Amino acid sequence: MTASFTRSSCSSAVTSAEPGARPCRVTLDGADYDLAATLNSGQAFRWEERDGWWEGVIGRRWVRLKTETHPPGGEGTGEGNSIRSPRPCVLFAETATPVSDWRWLTGYLRWEEDLAAVLAGFPADAPMCEAVAACRGLRLLRQEPWECLASFILSSTKQIRQIRQIVARLCEQFGEQLAVPKGHGPVYSFPSAGRIAAAAEAELRACKMGFRAPNLRAAAGMVAAGAVDLDGLSARPLDEARAALMTLPGVGRKIADCVLLFGCGFPGAFPVDVWVMKALRRLYFPGRRVSLERLRQFAGGHFGPQAGYAQQYLFHYARVHVKLKH
DNA sequence: TACCAGGAGAGCG
DNA sequence: CGCTCTCATGGT
């Protein structure tokens, strides 16, 4: 099942003297997409919920999103949570400027990905079944590699909430202002590697990124100079791409795997952070001492070709579970 | 107050 | 190899 049915409406006036200010809408059909879980599960850091919409920036476009999910059997089917029956889901999207081709959006969201096929590749053990049941509709995104890389260089030993604040300051300070509909506050593009490389370390530290500032600046310089070709990574073998990323300062195994999974489309990349580490130990090795490297080894063999997707379910499941306790 | 946060990298035995 | 320490900042 793919989301092939598209309805869109744009103002066709192209000669307007006002840059922006002409909203454009589209409606896309799909299935099983939890926008809140997906945009708020520590993959991307620029989405905010306002008035029932998720507002954010993709590339150089402001956009806001909303979904409506319909139960497949109509009324009277109760809360039956059968994994086997996908729930139809409609996406509403609005931009500030005219759009004729929406692939930049469907690609970012992986809107047309067959989630059931992905889930079918997960191991059928109890922990994964629980995670899948608890995080229905959770998706991976396909982000721009540079924004993903820079964001995760800033992520080390930071809470997700703070990563968002730092990224917001960085964009406000060094990004370019984008068109928004009337009544909305200003938004900014994610600054290019060249722009960040040209900034002084003190300017970056003013964004409250602390000791990560020299790493971000140096990594930006290497990317801007072509020392690491981010857009070429997806065509290389996983191990090679990872090694290339790890030549960048501030990029170790975990952050490299985040970029490979969220930005470069490697489905087998499996980032192990403190949350996933705790989840793996508690769910699969209770009462035993297992090293980080051993956990990675286990994950690579146990979760199959969609290991990265499984990791996102474990991560989100672990975080939501902790939040429920408070 | 003490501890933790989607870590990395250096120094040590 | 595996362990420990530090880095900067804000939230609980």
Side-chain angles (χ1 to χ4, degrees):
Chain A
M1 66 188 61
T2 55
S4 55
F5 188 47
T6 301
R7 308 178 286 274
S8 67
S9 68
C10 281
S11 164
S12 57
V14 184
T15 55
S16 167
E18 302 284 340
R22 275 188 200 287
C24 188
R25 308 164 206 274
V26 72
T27 305
L28 301 169
D29 292 315
D32 286 332
Y33 206 111
D34 186 337
L35 209 51
T38 300
L39 299 179
N40 203 19
S41 59
Q43 311 179 56
F45 304 97
R46 299 198 64 193
W47 293 95
E48 289 180 14
E49 193 171 21
R50 247 195 304 269
D51 305 326
W53 292 80
W54 285 92
E55 300 185 12
V57 172
I58 300 174
R60 299 187 61 82
R61 283 196 184 91
W62 175 93
V63 63
R64 70 173 184 172
L65 308 170
K66 182 165 64 175
T67 52
E68 279 180 13
T69 297
H70 310 287
E75 299 177 26
T77 52
E79 307 299 315
N81 280 331
S82 170
I83 306 293
R84 304 284 172 195
S85 60
R87 292 177 186 166
C89 186
V90 181
L91 172 71
F92 302 95
E94 294 185 11
T95 60
T97 55
V99 171
S100 56
D101 186 340
W102 291 88
R103 278 178 293 185
W104 57 274
L105 178 61
T106 55
Y108 178 91
L109 294 174
R110 304 200 193 197
W111 181 252
E112 300 185 4
E113 182 164 67
D114 186 348
L115 185 60
V118 172
L119 301 184
F122 287 3
D125 57 38
M128 278 314 301
C129 290
E130 281 180 42
V132 167
C135 308
R136 179 163 193 156
L138 174 63
R139 304 291 191 125
L140 286 178
L141 299 169
R142 191 189 321 278
Q143 304 178 62
E144 287 191 8
W146 164 244
E147 175 172 345
C148 187
L149 169 63
S151 298
F152 276 97
I153 286 177
L154 299 176
S155 75
S156 74
T157 322
K158 277 293 179 194
Q159 293 185 126
I160 290 175
R161 171 188 222 109
Q162 289 181 261
I163 302 169
R164 308 170 78 99
Q165 293 174 358
I166 296 170
V167 168
R169 290 190 193 99
L170 187 72
C171 293
E172 189 174 347
Q173 201 71 23
F174 301 103
E176 296 172 33
Q177 196 164 346
L178 304 173
V180 297
K182 288 179 180 176
H184 285 76
V187 299
Y188 304 84
S189 64
F190 195 91
S192 69
R195 180 66 189 92
I196 289 178
E201 185 182 317
E203 292 181 289
L204 296 175
R205 283 183 181 266
C207 298
K208 304 301 181 184
M209 64 183 72
F211 61 84
R212 302 156 195 83
N215 287 338
L216 178 66
R217 186 172 183 277
M222 291 175 67
V223 169
V228 175
D229 174 22
L230 294 182
D231 293 325
L233 291 178
S234 59
R236 299 167 68 179
L238 175 62
D239 291 338
E240 265 185 42
R242 179 187 291 129
L245 283 169
M246 289 176 67
T247 64
L248 297 166
V251 181
R253 173 63 184 254
K254 187 267 171 181
I255 290 177
D257 281 345
C258 284
V259 178
L260 294 170
L261 181 62
F262 303 139
C264 300
F266 284 93
F270 194 99
V272 180
D273 75 312
V274 289
W275 290 96
V276 172
M277 190 169 61
K278 282 185 212 167
L280 288 177
R281 283 181 173 150
R282 179 171 58 85
L283 297 172
Y284 294 95
F285 304 94
R288 289 205 266 161
R289 274 201 312 280
V290 187
S291 72
L292 176 60
E293 184 51 41
R294 184 77 183 84
L295 287 176
R296 285 198 198 105
Q297 214 171 347
F298 164 76
H302 185 257
F303 293 103
Q306 297 289 343
Y309 236 111
Q311 174 275 159
Q312 196 62 16
Y313 273 78
L314 290 174
F315 176 79
H316 192 62
Y317 181 48
R319 286 188 70 228
V320 173
H321 223 61
V322 167
K323 279 187 178 179
L324 290 179
K325 289 200 286 188
H326 301 287

